[in-house]
Amino acid sequence: MGLSRLAALHGVATSYSPSPDVTVSVPDDTVIAVLAALGVDAGTPADVRKCLAAAESRSRLLPPTVVVWAGEPLPPALAGLPPGSTVTVEPEPSDLPGHPAGRPPAPLSMRARAAAPAEPVASGESAPEAVPAPEAAPAPGAAPAWWIPPPHGVHRIHVRTPDNRRATATLVAAPPRLPQPPEGTHGFLVQLYSLLSARSWGMGDLGDLADLAAWAGRSVGSGFVQVNPLHAAVPGKPTDPSPYRPSSRRFPDPVHLHVESIPEYGHVRDRAALDDLRQDAAALSEAVLNKGALIDRDAVWELKRQALELVAQVPLTPGRRADYCDFLAEQGQALEDHALWCALAEVHGPDWHTWPEALRAPRSPGTARARSELLDRVDFHCRLAWLTAGQLAAAQRAAEDAGMGVGIVHDLAVGVHPAGADTWSQQEAFAHGMSVGAPPDAFNARGQDWGLPPWRPDVLAATGYAAYRGLLRGLLAHAGALRIDHVMGLFRLWWVPEGRPPTDGTYVAYDAEAMLAVLVLEAHRAGTSVVGEDLGTVAPGVREALARRGVLGTSVLWFERDWEGDGRPLAPEKWRRDCLATATTHDLPSTAARLTGDHVTLRHRLGLLTRSLEEELTADLTDTAEWLALLARLRMLPEGDGDEEAAVRAVHRFLRRTPARMTGVWLPDTVGDRRPQNLPGTWDQYPNWRLPIADPEGHPVTLEEITASPRLHGLMEVLRPRKPRTAPPGERRP
């Protein structure tokens, strides 16, 4: 009982329910290991009693972070303050990135009369007169009369009680909901590396993204393009190709740069060297597009790095230099740390755990010396971050100029590589020796270990979610919307102790109210929408909490069934409205592969099936036949059975019939690609994250060929909004 109570105080679960009627106990060893990662020693019964007594004896006047939502009741931490307490709000500096420009500094403190039953006062934008005590209790759902809402932001709140107890905390003041995308918008989903154009250097880049967005907005009326995470990868040979296991989520990877679009490129003196690099890049693309080669990120980066070294030798013009200096000032210490990690990785390798002891901490004297010695390389990596940010902004501008109502939808991975820049620069924020994953479920009896160290919820709260805020601010700077992978991680994550199977993990809770408030605040400042990937096991109440704050969900056609009823495919009118509706994702078979059963034979060939091939094919055929029958009943498949292209169009016709705010089209579906970009459960058995978009026969196709494809244009006609018929002269419209 003592261990369970101690675990509960720190948000560590001692049991979980993989299904409503099943409860599984977590091994004590797991609970002890997770508590240790949170800085709590529970190794012996005596340790448990000591830590429990210490935890239960602590009485906090305020939690480390307090959330207030505009127009909503105060949280118990504030509403329940002792009568006669005073509250002072120290406002967020108005010069922070994302802060409303021109706002004068708010008063540092105000104080109400002592006669009120409960009379704390928060700072506002001007200093009002003292607020008298209310004559009656406030209406349900309203804040008490003494509360003067601070402006949206992340402030410091100071409390003093009549008996002179004091507390200071971070105050997150957030708007109640996120901005919403236009109703009924459609767009493309694409893994950027897989989208090669005639000018690409062996993989898709930000120039290709801008071009796709400009074409899609103007030619087929798309409202957005959603891409994979563009986070900085851990360098190495080979580099981990997964965009969902990055070195840093805060900064983008310069491998996505379109080198020729950099203004300084045209002024490089050594043109012969650049020409040689371009020829080598053309050979890389030729190998991928016409010779069956896989996308080789390392080879692409080697060529781009050499070209960027030449570009960096060109002096910046005064205006460009001023812009670069502004970028450095805005990004501050976070960028300097990231660039230093990149420079140190060039010298000592990509795993900071193996570096000389003096360099393993970002603030050590040895690291300070290295920072000075590697100043040129640090500046080079800072400049790459600036150039990449500039091309990200250009892609969003291209989308907006093309009339897109949303633009580029960026993707936030659920975690980072344990050896990367973020874990080095923010060591105190991560639970070392732990990995994020998923518990056993109906789809994977062994559970999953994703190899990503989790953030410590206690450190996040104690630091006012500074790392999380900086991460969001960077991602949202050039986004029209943000997709959050495994959005359930805002509420809880499955922690797996190092060296143990995923079945021996447990859930650790996060302060979802604070995580959501920071997300809503930063997205509100950026004017962006948010889509949460909420597929798989979702705890009760999570989807409702997300919807309340305006976070859209993700609905994939093949999973949308009446699970609480007859289990049949869900009729379009019964789908939820606040979601991104799609036929597939990067982790699932393409629509053509699903319709033909090719995905089953692929998994059989790789030894991934848990039943015989015949059983799997029969189950898959039954599932697909149910959906096709529904499409036929709804008259969405006039061509009848046996026409694959028509069936793909019918699937998207169905998606368009749902009330979903956003409809996403997997770009490979537009040309009949049958190969998944990622096949979960495989590593070297399948070329995950290294395939170009291809036609039904597996031959790669370029951006130019995709946009000219009759199959694509036939599919996109399904998604075009119907224009109202114009009545002839003299005829009245009904």
Side-chain angles (χ1 to χ4, degrees), residues 35-373:
L35 285 171
L38 292 169
V40 180
D41 183 2
T44 68
D47 293 329
V48 170
R49 289 192 295 271
K50 179 180 177 182
C51 290
L52 189 59
E56 292 179 336
S57 66
R58 286 195 295 268
S59 177
R60 294 188 64 101
L61 191 58
L62 289 178
T65 297
V66 180
V67 171
V68 293
W69 299 97
E72 297 186 12
L74 291 185
L78 292 179
L81 286 171
S85 298
T86 59
V87 173
T88 301
V89 172
E90 182 182 342
E92 178 182 60
S94 59
D95 59 350
L96 285 179
H99 196 281
R103 182 185 297 279
L108 292 181
S109 64
M110 293 177 290
R111 185 173 181 177
R113 296 184 304 176
E119 52 184 35
V121 175
S123 65
E125 296 183 27
S126 59
E129 297 294 328
V131 179
E135 296 181 359
W146 53 259
W147 176 253
I148 301 173
H152 298 154
V154 181
H155 315 295
R156 295 294 288 170
I157 185 168
H158 308 277
V159 172
R160 179 166 57 84
T161 65
D163 59 357
N164 212 33
R165 287 183 295 146
R166 298 172 184 266
T168 295
T170 298
L171 177 69
V172 181
R177 277 178 63 83
L178 286 157
Q180 297 296 291
E183 290 273 7
T185 187
H186 68 78
F188 292 109
L189 320 177
V190 63
Q191 299 281 293
L192 181 57
Y193 59 83
S194 71
L195 181 68
L196 281 75
S197 69
R199 64 182 186 178
S200 301
W201 285 34
M203 62 182 279
D205 58 40
L206 291 171
D208 298 323
L209 176 59
D211 205 38
L212 174 65
W215 169 83
R218 289 183 167 88
S219 299
V220 294
S222 295
F224 66 92
V225 175
Q226 177 181 301
V227 295
N228 55 285
L230 304 182
H231 310 320
V234 176
K237 294 194 177 180
T239 296
D240 187 339
S242 172
Y244 291 92
R245 202 164 181 252
S247 168
S248 173
R249 296 188 294 173
R250 174 65 181 83
F251 295 100
D253 198 313
V255 76
H256 300 114
L257 282 168
H258 180 241
V259 178
E260 291 98 323
S261 294
I262 299 171
E264 290 72 38
Y265 178 88
H267 300 280
V268 171
R269 291 182 179 276
D270 193 345
R271 306 308 299 180
L274 277 185
D275 288 343
D276 289 344
L277 290 171
R278 290 183 63 180
Q279 289 180 13
D280 290 344
L284 276 182
S285 288
E286 171 69 13
V288 171
L289 293 172
N290 295 309
K291 298 181 179 178
L294 299 175
I295 292 170
D296 187 342
R297 180 193 179 98
D298 295 324
V300 172
W301 174 238
E302 180 57 27
L303 295 179
K304 288 192 176 182
R305 182 193 60 77
Q306 293 181 50
L308 292 166
E309 298 274 6
L310 295 171
V311 169
Q313 295 173 17
V314 177
L316 297 175
T317 64
R320 294 272 289 165
R321 169 62 63 181
D323 186 67
Y324 179 43
C325 290
D326 284 350
F327 179 80
L328 293 176
E330 182 177 293
Q331 302 302 320
Q333 187 70 56
L335 175 59
E336 188 176 333
D337 286 345
H338 174 73
L340 177 58
W341 182 91
C342 293
L344 288 169
E346 291 176 334
V347 178
H348 301 289
D351 186 349
W352 62 267
H353 299 91
T354 66
W355 292 355
E357 186 70 34
L359 301 177
R360 293 181 195 173
R363 302 290 173 261
S364 72
T367 300
R369 287 192 297 273
R371 196 181 301 262
S372 176
E373 294 165 359

Side-chain angles (χ1 to χ4, degrees), residues 461-523:
T463 56
Y465 295 83
Y468 179 47
R469 283 155 37 208
L471 165 63
L472 291 173
R473 192 165 292 165
L475 281 171
L476 294 169
H478 309 301
L482 179 67
R483 174 191 181 271
I484 300 181
D485 192 42
H486 193 71
V487 72
M488 296 81 77
L490 300 180
F491 296 76
R492 66 179 187 179
L493 284 171
W494 184 258
W495 288 23
V496 181
E498 186 176 356
R500 301 191 186 194
T503 50
D504 283 356
T506 190
Y507 281 114
V508 175
Y510 291 76
D511 185 344
E513 193 81 350
M515 297 289 277
L516 279 172
V518 171
L519 173 64
V520 171
L521 172 65
E522 294 299 338

